[in-house]
Amino acid sequence: MSNPNPVHYVPLTAPDGELAGYIWADAAAVGWFHRPAGSSSAYRTAEEWHDRARELHGRGLAPRGVLSMLSREPGVGPVTEAPDVAAIEELARVVTPADDRRLLDGLDRDNADAWRELGDAFDALTDEDRDIKWGGGQKRADGVQHVAYPLYSEGLRRVVSALEGVGAVSGEYRWMGNPMPDLPPDGRLSPADAIRAATTTVRGERVCDGMIADAVKDGLLDAIVASLRAWYAEQPSAAPGNMCRFCGGSPAADVTFRAHRGLVILMGFKKTDGPMCFTCGLAVYRAYTTHTLCQGWWSPLSLFVFAPLTLVRNLLAVRRVKRLPAPGPGTLGPRYDPGVPVHRRPRAYVALVPALWVLFMIVTGLSGAV
C-alpha cells in the first residue's frame, strides 16, 4: 500500500564534502534538518539551502517542486521518499566517523605542557575538591531569594582550565543542540564523546550552575579525563611531547636499546624502541646491558663485533634518557623499576671472563715473542 501522505527529502552537502543536513517536503510544507553533529560550516551550508528552499516556496513553487529544483544544484542529492518526517530527523542525528575525527583534530596534541598540566591537575584533586559546597540560596529580609551557586575549589577550576588548554572544549561542537553523551556502565567514553561531554559540561556551566558539580558527582569528569589521557598516550608526537610507551608518562625520548646473546653456533639479537621516560628507559637500559655483558661474548663475532657495538649503542641511547627530567604521572600503567646500577649486578661481571681471556692471550703472545 502506498503512503497516502508521502514525505520526500534531498541531502545537502557542504563544499568540502561533509553531509550538512536535509531539506524535506510534504504536500503542504517545506522544512529542514541540519546535522547536530556536523561542523559549523556545514550548519551554515544547510541554513543557506533552507533559505533558498523557503524563497522558492514563497514564490509559489509546490513543495515537491522545490525539492526537484534544488536537486539539480551542485551539492544537493537526489529526491528520496521517507516514511515520515521523524525518519528524516533520525537520519540527521546519525554521528559519523568523520564527525569524531573533526573533534579529535581540534585537540592540541603537540602541546606537551598542556597535557602534562591536565594530568597533574587531575591527579592532584582531593576528596575535599570533589565535595562541592553551594553558596547563596538565602532569602533576604525584603523577600528577594538569592540564587544558589556552586563553590568550586581552585583544584577543580585548574582541571577545567586544563581541559580547555588541550582543546577538549570545542567550538566545533554545538552542545546546545545535542544531548549529553551517556556514560556507559563500564565508565569509559570514546575520545570524541569525551570532547562532547567536556564541551557540554564546561560551556553548560555558564548558563546552568552545577553542570561541573554533576559531572564530578556521577563520575563523568573522571571518564572525560581518563579517555583524553589514554588517547594522547597513543599519539605519535614530537620528541618533547612524547609519552612513554610503557607507563604513559612524559616527557620521553625516542630511543632504541639492544641486547645481544652470542653463542658458539647461534647468536640472538633483541631490541626495544619507542618513546621512554627517564625511569622506564633507565630500567630497559640496565636490563639489556646486563644481559649483553653476561651472555654476549661466547662466539668470535660476538666477542669482537656485536657485543661491543651493542654496549656502545646502549650508552649513546641512555645519554638521551638521562637528560630527561623526572616523568610526570603515568597514564598507561605502572612504571618500570630501574633497579640497581649495572656495576652492582653480579651477572654483569661475567664479561670479565672473555676480557681476561683476551688479556691472557695478548700477554702470552707477547711473552712468546720475547
Side-chain angles (χ1 to χ4, degrees):
M1 181 181 297
S2 62
N3 187 348
N5 300 301
V7 178
H8 294 82
Y9 68 92
V10 290
L12 309 171
T13 305
D16 62 358
E18 180 185 352
L19 182 61
Y22 303 90
I23 300 289
W24 61 266
D26 58 16
V30 174
W32 74 307
F33 291 114
H34 72 276
R35 295 184 61 253
S39 66
S40 299
S41 61
Y43 174 83
R44 290 190 294 269
T45 295
E47 191 175 36
E48 290 168 0
W49 280 115
H50 180 230
D51 290 342
R52 172 69 171 150
R54 291 177 59 191
E55 178 189 359
L56 292 173
H57 191 216
R59 292 179 181 178
L61 195 60
R64 178 64 188 274
V66 170
L67 296 188
S68 297
M69 182 71 73
L70 292 179
S71 67
R72 302 170 189 171
E73 300 286 342
V76 181
V79 178
T80 305
E81 184 173 341
D84 50 37
V85 174
I88 305 171
E89 184 177 16
E90 190 66 25
L91 275 179
R93 290 199 171 275
V94 172
V95 179
T96 69
D99 297 325
D100 289 351
R101 286 195 300 271
R102 185 176 58 258
L103 294 179
L104 294 175
D105 287 344
L107 292 174
D108 191 356
R109 71 186 69 198
D110 295 326
N111 191 343
D113 291 338
W115 287 97
R116 190 177 304 113
E117 169 63 9
L118 176 60
D120 291 347
F122 182 78
D123 291 339
L125 284 180
T126 64
D127 291 341
E128 186 176 355
D129 293 320
R130 294 174 178 274
D131 185 16
I132 299 167
K133 304 294 192 297
W134 287 70
Q138 303 89 358
K139 190 173 183 179
R140 295 191 329 193
D142 59 4
V144 175
Q145 182 78 34
H146 282 179
V147 177
Y149 54 88
L151 301 173
Y152 297 127
S153 68
E154 286 302 316
L156 196 52
R157 292 182 184 277
R158 181 186 174 194
V159 173
V160 171
S161 177
L163 286 171
E164 295 178 313
V166 300
V169 181
S170 173
E172 278 298 310
Y173 182 60
R174 293 190 305 283
W175 61 273
M176 295 188 74
N178 288 275
M180 174 73 82
D182 293 327
L183 186 62
D186 62 3
R188 297 181 180 179
L189 288 172
S190 71
D193 276 349
I195 296 172
R196 294 182 178 103
T199 303
T200 303
T201 299
V202 175
R203 296 201 167 176
E205 181 71 29
R206 300 170 187 172
V207 297
C208 181
D209 286 337
M211 294 285 289
I212 295 173
D214 289 343
V216 172
K217 182 178 179 180
D218 61 21
L220 182 62
L221 181 67
D222 296 62
I224 290 170
V225 176
S227 175
L228 293 172
R229 293 173 77 177
W231 173 87
Y232 181 61
E234 297 173 354
Q235 303 308 303
S237 54
N242 276 351
M243 300 187 76
C244 180
R245 59 170 293 182
F246 300 111
C247 70
S250 64
D254 198 2
V255 293
T256 300
F257 290 111
R258 295 172 169 82
H260 176 67
R261 181 179 65 174
L263 302 178
V264 176
I265 299 176
L266 299 176
M267 289 185 292
F269 300 88
K270 182 179 181 180
K271 74 173 182 177
T272 296
D273 52 18
M276 301 184 204
C277 68
F278 172 85
T279 306
C280 293
L282 193 60
V284 176
Y285 162 75
R286 289 177 176 176
Y288 280 18
T289 297
T290 301
H291 177 89
T292 302
L293 287 171
C294 179
Q295 301 187 33
W297 308 100
W298 312 112
S299 74
L301 280 176
S302 296
L303 176 61
F304 295 105
V305 179
F306 294 120
L309 184 61
T310 298
L311 295 175
V312 171
R313 285 181 169 181
N314 285 352
L315 283 172
L316 294 175
V318 80
R319 289 175 60 186
R320 296 182 59 196
V321 168
K322 287 183 176 180
R323 287 197 291 263
L324 296 172
T331 60
L332 299 181
R335 189 160 283 145
Y336 280 2
D337 180 6
V340 299
V342 174
H343 70 270
R344 292 176 55 189
R345 302 186 181 203
R347 293 178 67 241
Y349 289 94
V350 175
L352 291 176
V353 176
L356 292 174
W357 178 77
V358 170
L359 180 61
F360 172 76
M361 294 299 293
I362 292 174
V363 172
T364 302
L366 292 176
S367 301
V370 174

